[in-house]
Amino acid sequence: MSRHLTGSQIVCEALLKEGVSVIFGIPGGAILPLYGVLSQYPDLRHILVRHEQGAAHAADGYARSTGTVGVAFATSGPGSTNLITGLATAMMDSVPMVAITGQVGRAAIGTDAFQETDITGATMPVTKHNYLVMRADDLGRTVHEAFHIARTGRPGPVLIDIPKDVFIEMGNYDPDEPIDLPGYKVPGKADEAQVDAAAKLINESERPVILAGHGVVLSRSFDELREFAEKAQIPVITTLLGISSFPENHVLSTGFPGMHGMAYASLALDQADLIINFGSRFDDRIVGDAKRFSVGSKKIHVDIDPAEINKMITVEAPVVGNIKDVFGQLIPKVNKTTHVEWLQHIEHLKAEHPSLRIPETDRLMGQHVVKALSDVTKGQAIITTGVGQHQMWAAQHYQFTNANSWLSSGGLGTMGYEVPSAIGAQVGNPDRLVWSICGDGGFQMTLMELATAVENNLPVKYAILNNNHLGMITQWQAMFYEGDYQAETYTGNPDFVKLAEAYGIKGLRATTQDELEGVIREANAHDGPVVIDFVIEKVDDVYPMIPAGQSVEELIEDPN
Amino acid sequence: MAPEGNRNGTFQRTIAALVLDRPGVLARIAGLFRRRGFNIASLAVGRSERPGLSRMTFVVEGPEEVVRHVAAQLDRLIDVVEVRDITEQNIVWRELALIKVKANAGERGEILELANIFRVNVIDIGVESLTMEISGGRQKIDSLIELLRKFGLEEVIRTGRVATLRGTLIEGEKDGLFQSDASRSTYTLPTPTDESGAV
Ligand SMILES: Cc1ncc(C[n+]2csc(CCOP(=O)(O)OP(=O)(O)O)c2C)c(N)n1
Ligand SMILES: [Mg+2]
């Protein structure tokens, strides 16, 4: 039944119908009419952030950790442009999000009016789709289309730009009006012939490996992945974003490969006779030199996005479909086998190439911190990270035993993701322990959101791996620029404990290995947010490493 | 004229798309091409037989590995309803050109004679020039332009190509010019005359 409402009310009604309960945002002139009706909708909880980038990353963290669509609000002009890094982050990692931005009034569009930005133009390359809605009558349907696009198929961010006067205009909202997207196809089950071809390759292979990507996480196919791997006894390598799609204490778990992945994982990919890729886009950080990537193997690529097939790597058996559906089709067709010899060989690779050795030293290293966190939390926490050395150490040394617990900007590599994404994850998972593993660099890009954690009493634990450096930059300058260090040292970092205290947050510090367990337990026991300054060794490199564009032949396991 | 196809490692594809008739659609498509470094060699857009939908035909150029994926990339756009890479299909296509050529009284007869042979319409006759309208394959148009050059071309305005799949199963008039890997094809590159029917 159609109802006559203001544009703002239509937006809120449609958000409720989509099951939205949390919005991250900041108001401004053009979106004030929407904020003006929020008090009528107490079931829409609005969390006021400190910067719109924080709103986008929090919505992203909420979305990744809950599997639902994250929502962000921002005003026109600078509010909307501040969202862009967050939208691009979500786009690269296929995270379902809807951003609603205010726009200047219809009559002012195109006149360089105060706080006018062509945000649909600006965000075209970093959204799955976007809309500029010029009539209140179109708002309801557009919101429903946006959510449908964001969450189905290969998920992604959708932006809806709404002129100020469209929020105020009266329009009709019919919640049952069908969405109208003739150009939008959502793959479900795969073509049976493709599945048969894949099953045949799997049943014939002697040295198969699974490469589990973000698609497994996004489609929540954790149980299916496990059932498949166990039935055919196939080792499971995850991509960086596939981490936590498979329990890392499982015998078949074989790490993650690529630039800073485990050497044994890269070697297993190289030596396999079949790679079964579930929902990974054969990213360049895994593939390196495409011409030399696992030349001896056949490849199956299961992906919901047909445009990913043969984009990086030409494959023998493409399977286009929703990963969850494809598992359902494939599992009955694969033989129950053991691959004893190959699994023994994998064990041998793991023993010969341990990859996770922590330098022997009395000093405190980033790896020690992550290892202690993993031990104390039994691998059960939700972990968010920034980008850099701490991110790689987190990926390597935290042993994830819970599904869907790893939030990291894999595609865009966005420093600053760590602080707000943890807020979103905690809002979405009030009963889970959320640790944010931060770089001292990334932390300072978005630390203003500590205030958001305080205001909303979110007990996020921030572990700063403080090396007073842009550590990953130091490492690259050492390796690829003859040690010509430029702009990688921070000499003016604040006292992070005092900083935390200034926000009214518990601040802790650890400078030795002995203190680790104590401070981590103390943080876990505290029922509010905590910031811990882990003062780690200034210069330390992440290994193993395959330099960009290279292959396993150039793998540097551990130069020390 | 020699058939093109591979120009310094650049390959062409002919793409036919059915898209929503909405503001911003062309910008999305153009953005995708720009990002991947495709050049748009020609583009034709117009309303289709279905209300609310437009048809577009583009010829795009780019590195081979990249340009092969153009249809899949386009299909990802929400506003693109249908898209086909018809490069290697059995298609017919046409382009339209308006050619304004200098024509003094002494040469007019010769020009009109040419127009007759090419079966083109003369749509405007002025004191010093005349304008003709030609439709056909690219090479037919190229040939006419070449022949008219000596009289003095004042203006040449060409549309992009429009293309459609043949309704018959008769082989032989594939878009061979844009075949990116001739060794993989089962037919040879056509000579100029069989490009799009007789001149
Ligand atoms: C927004 C942004 N700017 C710049 C970079 C380039 N970058 C990659 S890693 C890195 C250093 C990160 O330093 P920090 O957060 O302290 O982490 P560390 O490597 O020291 O653990 C930089 C500057 C980036 N990834 N993101
Ligand atoms: Mg650092």
Side-chain angles (χ1 to χ4, degrees):
Chain A
M1 200 196 63
S2 177
R3 290 162 64 198
H4 203 55
L5 300 165
T6 66
S8 296
Q9 289 172 319
I10 294 174
V11 170
C12 292
E13 295 282 340
L15 290 176
L16 284 174
K17 177 157 189 262
E18 291 294 341
V20 173
S21 57
V22 183
I23 296 152
F24 302 91
I26 302 188
I31 200 170
L32 273 180
L34 180 58
Y35 280 81
V37 301
L38 280 182
S39 61
Q40 301 166 25
Y41 297 93
D43 290 342
L44 292 174
R45 173 182 176 199
H46 181 273
I47 294 184
L48 178 62
V49 294
R50 291 299 186 272
H51 186 295
E52 290 84 356
Q53 182 184 351
H57 289 327
D60 169 317
Y62 180 88
R64 292 193 207 216
S65 63
T66 62
T68 59
V69 181
V71 181
F73 282 1
T75 192
S76 67
S80 64
T81 55
N82 273 349
L83 287 176
I84 290 180
T85 302
L87 292 169
T89 303
M91 182 68 179
M92 286 289 265
D93 291 348
S94 310
V95 177
M97 236 165 82
V98 169
I100 294 180
T101 49
Q103 181 56 278
V104 300
R106 281 171 287 192
I109 291 179
T111 66
D112 299 329
F114 177 65
Q115 292 195 330
E116 181 189 4
T117 299
D118 172 10
I119 198 64
T120 45
T123 59
M124 252 178 216
V126 296
T127 52
K128 183 173 173 185
H129 196 53
N130 61 24
Y131 293 91
L132 169 62
V133 187
M134 296 296 271
R135 298 185 326 154
D137 280 338
D138 294 336
L139 274 173
R141 196 193 66 247
T142 305
V143 171
H144 294 311
E145 282 182 13
F147 274 80
H148 179 67
I149 291 168
R151 70 158 76 90
T152 58
R154 177 178 182 166
V158 180
L159 179 136
I160 309 174
D161 196 28
I162 306 173
K164 185 171 188 176
D165 53 333
V166 175
F167 282 123
I168 298 164
E169 183 177 80
M170 297 298 289
N172 287 314
Y173 175 51
D174 174 3
D176 302 317
E177 181 186 353
I179 56 175
D180 178 25
L181 293 168
Y184 184 60
K185 303 120 202 147
V186 180
K189 279 193 169 181
D191 184 44
E192 231 20 79
Q194 290 190 331
V195 177
D196 287 342
K200 183 158 181 286
L201 287 182
I202 294 167
N203 291 332
E204 285 168 2
S205 72
E206 286 168 4
R207 302 188 308 282
V209 292
I210 292 166
L211 181 64
H214 204 202
V216 176
V217 177
L218 292 166
S219 64
R220 298 297 193 263
S221 305
F222 310 114
D223 295 341
E224 292 84 353
L225 171 64
R226 186 170 176 160
E227 188 187 344
F228 175 80
E230 285 177 350
K231 182 173 179 191
Q233 289 293 300
I234 301 176
V236 180
I237 294 170
T238 63
T239 66
L240 182 74
L241 287 189
I243 285 178
S244 90
S245 64
F246 192 75
E248 294 185 338
N249 54 356
H250 193 289
V251 283
L252 290 172
S253 171
T254 311
F256 74 97
M259 180 171 283
H260 287 301
M262 287 70 154
Y264 55 81
S266 296
L267 290 165
L269 272 183
D270 189 55
Q271 295 170 11
D273 68 353
L274 178 68
I275 296 175
I276 314 161
N277 172 353
F278 289 104
S280 143
R281 56 193 171 84
F282 280 123
D283 173 72
D284 58 83
R285 298 275 126 143
I286 291 177
V287 166
D289 179 359
K291 286 190 209 67
R292 290 190 289 149
F293 174 71
S294 188
V295 283
S297 65
K298 294 193 167 152
K299 284 133 198 127
I300 298 170
H301 188 173
V302 184
D303 208 300
I304 198 161
D305 181 356
E308 286 301 339
I309 305 288
N310 294 338
K311 185 184 85 177
M312 301 294 290
I313 296 288
T314 308
V315 300
E316 281 73 16
V319 183
V320 175
N322 184 312
I323 299 217
K324 211 179 184 67
D325 293 329
V326 173
F327 271 122
Q329 294 171 274
L330 199 53
I331 290 170
K333 291 183 174 167
V334 300
N335 300 338
K336 210 168 145 62
T337 46
T338 53
H339 297 119
V340 180
E341 263 178 52
W342 173 232
L343 289 178
Q344 277 171 353
H345 181 70
I346 298 276
E347 285 312 307
H348 170 78
L349 285 179
K350 287 181 187 169
E352 290 286 294
H353 306 275
S355 304
L356 297 181
R357 208 178 58 81
I358 301 176
E360 264 168 53
T361 168
D362 298 338
R363 290 166 302 176
L364 183 61
M365 311 299 261
Q367 299 93 315
H368 291 129
V369 178
V370 178
K371 179 80 174 50
L373 260 177
S374 180
D375 290 344
V376 174
T377 61
K378 301 194 176 61
Q380 306 247 310
I382 291 180
I383 301 292
T384 82
T385 75
V387 172
Q389 294 186 316
H390 67 283
Q391 175 192 31
M392 292 300 123
W393 288 324
Q396 292 175 341
H397 294 273
Y398 197 91
Q399 196 184 55
F400 289 87
T401 52
N402 248 352
N404 190 33
S405 301
W406 166 250
L407 280 63
S408 192
S409 169
L412 196 68
T414 309
M415 284 171 73
Y417 178 77
E418 57 260 66
V419 181
S421 60
I423 288 177
Q426 188 75 78
V427 169
N429 300 269
D431 300 329
R432 282 190 70 182
L433 181 60
V434 178
W435 273 87
S436 168
I437 299 181
C438 310
D440 52 317
F443 182 76
Q444 291 182 80
M445 286 195 178
T446 47
L447 69 82
M448 68 292 267
E449 302 305 342
L450 290 178
T452 311
V454 173
E455 261 168 20
N456 294 279
N457 196 24
L458 300 169
V460 177
K461 317 302 176 200
Y462 290 99
I464 305 174
L465 269 53
N466 181 7
N467 51 12
N468 286 288
H469 268 81
L470 297 168
M472 191 57 97
I473 301 299
T474 312
Q475 177 168 354
W476 279 53
Q477 289 179 343
M479 296 181 77
F480 308 118
Y481 295 86
E482 287 89 38
D484 180 14
Y485 299 110
Q486 297 294 333
E488 39 68 73
T489 306
Y490 282 138
T491 53
N493 268 349
D495 178 330
F496 289 114
V497 174
K498 281 195 186 148
L499 182 86
E501 286 163 0
Y503 278 99
I505 288 178
K506 188 180 184 72
L508 298 169
R509 177 171 290 122
T511 54
T512 65
Q513 294 176 30
D514 295 340
E515 293 165 307
L516 289 178
E517 197 184 319
V519 293
I520 293 170
R521 288 194 189 285
E522 189 178 345
N524 282 343
H526 182 68
D527 70 355
V530 180
V531 170
I532 312 178
D533 182 19
F534 290 101
V535 183
I536 61 168
E537 192 54 26
K538 284 197 171 36
V539 179
D540 180 16
D541 290 335
V542 183
Y543 288 105
M545 177 163 192
I546 301 176
Q550 308 277 2
S551 81
V552 273
E553 288 168 44
E554 289 83 14
L555 190 147
I556 310 163
E557 264 183 73
D558 187 349
N560 304 306
Chain B
M1 281 185 76
E4 55 191 322
N6 177 353
R7 290 196 306 204
N8 315 323
T10 301
F11 288 79
Q12 291 197 331
R13 314 286 302 175
T14 304
I15 311 286
L18 192 62
V19 306
L20 297 186
D21 182 11
R22 267 190 199 164
V25 177
L26 189 57
R28 286 177 205 282
I29 292 172
L32 191 149
F33 289 163
R34 175 191 51 75
R35 177 168 172 223
R36 306 225 71 199
F38 303 147
N39 187 35
I40 302 177
S42 85
L43 167 66
V45 193
R47 298 239 152 94
S48 76
E49 73 287 357
R50 287 161 66 179
L53 298 178
S54 293
R55 279 193 192 280
M56 291 191 180
T57 311
F58 351 70
V59 178
V60 292
E61 304 174 330
E64 181 179 17
E65 333 73 74
V66 189
V67 92
R68 277 193 178 278
H69 292 288
V70 65
Q73 301 276 346
L74 280 173
D75 210 14
R76 271 218 288 229
L77 298 177
I78 311 289
D79 290 341
V80 172
V81 177
E82 239 175 64
V83 57
R84 303 180 70 162
D85 182 334
I86 55 175
T87 311
E88 283 150 38
Q89 312 261 336
N90 194 13
I91 57 175
V92 269
W93 74 86
R94 289 291 181 272
E95 278 180 39
L96 178 81
L98 300 182
I99 304 169
K100 188 188 280 177
V101 63
K102 285 207 176 71
N104 56 39
E107 289 170 337
R108 191 169 285 162
E110 200 183 331
I111 295 172
L112 288 173
E113 182 73 4
L114 265 175
N116 215 4
I117 298 170
F118 275 79
R119 278 188 255 123
V120 306
N121 297 327
V122 174
I123 53 175
D124 182 55
I125 301 185
V127 185
E128 295 290 325
S129 68
L130 58 82
T131 303
M132 52 184 91
E133 170 202 317
I134 174 170
S135 91
R138 188 177 51 80
Q139 295 189 348
K140 173 180 169 186
I141 297 173
D142 284 348
S143 311
L144 179 62
I145 291 170
E146 279 314 305
L147 291 169
L148 291 172
R149 197 174 289 282
K150 68 166 181 182
F151 303 105
L153 295 172
E154 291 207 327
E155 233 178 319
V156 175
I157 301 158
R158 297 174 73 153
T159 64
R161 73 168 39 176
V162 289
T164 186
L165 290 179
R166 278 181 188 281
T168 61
L169 294 173
I170 298 165
E171 283 280 319
E173 296 197 42
K174 289 182 181 174
D175 187 3
L177 290 177
F178 301 93
Q179 175 69 14
S180 53
D181 183 354
S183 65
R184 267 186 245 165
S185 78
T186 53
Y187 54 92
T188 48
L189 293 173
T191 56
T193 40
D194 62 27
E195 178 199 351
S196 61
V199 168

